[in-house]
Amino acid sequence: ACRAIERVVRDAAVSSIRLEVVELGRVVHEVVSAGHLLGADVRAVIGEGATRVEADPVRLRQALDNLVSNAARHAPGEVVVAVEPGEDVVRISVSDQGPGISPAEHERIFEPGSRLGVDRSGSGLGLTLARAIAIAHGGELTVASSPGEGSTFTLTLPNEARG
C-alpha cells in the first residue's frame, strides 16, 4: 500500500508536468462549476491584473479540485476560490468557514494518508497530491487555519506567463 501511495504522489512530480500558458480565471471557473455539480456552495473571486501562468492545466485543476472538494466535504457554508495576481507570484486560495485546523496539525495534514479524524471521509491523499503538484510547478501549498475560524489553503505559483 505504501508503494502504491508513493507512485500516486510521484505521478504528480516534475516529470509528469506539461507546461503551457493557462488562464487561471478559466481554470477556477471550471473548478467552481464542478463544485456546484457536487452540490457545494462555491464561488470565484478573480483579482485584477494578469491571471496567466505557465502550468499544467490538468494537474492544476486536479490540485484545486482536491482543495475545493475537501472544503465542501468538511466545512459547512460557502467555499471561496480566489486568485490574487502579484508581480512575482500568483496566489490561488481556497477558503472555508469550517471548524478550522489546529496549528499543530498544519504540516501533518499534507502527509500521505493523513486525516484529521477517523470519522472523516477520504483517502488522506488529496492534500498530499495538491502540495506535490504545487511544488512540481515551482510553487507551494500552505494552510492558514485556527480552530473555530475556518481554513484557507493557498497555492502559490511563479508568475512567469508571457504575453
Side-chain angles (χ1 to χ4, degrees), residues 24-81:
L24 286 178
R26 186 180 63 104
V27 173
V28 167
H29 285 296
E30 289 173 359
V31 168
V32 167
S33 293
H36 288 156
L37 290 174
L38 295 174
D41 180 9
V42 187
R43 75 178 165 99
V45 176
I46 310 295
E48 296 205 16
T51 57
R52 295 163 49 121
V53 296
E54 281 193 75
D56 182 321
V58 173
R59 293 299 188 185
L60 182 58
R61 168 101 190 258
Q62 180 183 18
L64 294 174
D65 281 339
N66 284 342
L67 295 174
V68 168
S69 67
N70 274 357
R73 186 171 49 245
H74 300 301
E78 183 179 58
V79 176
V80 177
V81 183

Side-chain angles (χ1 to χ4, degrees), residues 1 4 36 44 61 68 71-72 81 90-91 95 104 122 129 134 156:
H36 288 156
R61 168 101 190 258
V68 168
V81 183
V90 175
R91 288 180 180 81
S95 300
L129 283 172
T156 304

Side-chain angles (χ1 to χ4, degrees), residues 66-132:
N66 284 342
L67 295 174
V68 168
S69 67
N70 274 357
R73 186 171 49 245
H74 300 301
E78 183 179 58
V79 176
V80 177
V81 183
V83 178
E84 302 171 42
E87 189 172 316
D88 297 324
V89 297
V90 175
R91 288 180 180 81
I92 309 165
S93 61
V94 177
S95 300
D96 65 53
Q97 303 162 1
I101 302 165
S102 165
E105 300 291 328
H106 285 189
E107 281 306 308
R108 188 180 72 78
I109 60 174
F110 293 105
E111 295 172 4
S114 179
R115 296 184 315 188
L116 288 175
V118 293
D119 58 331
R120 296 212 171 178
S121 62
S123 65
L125 291 177
L127 292 176
T128 303
L129 283 172
R131 182 174 261 183

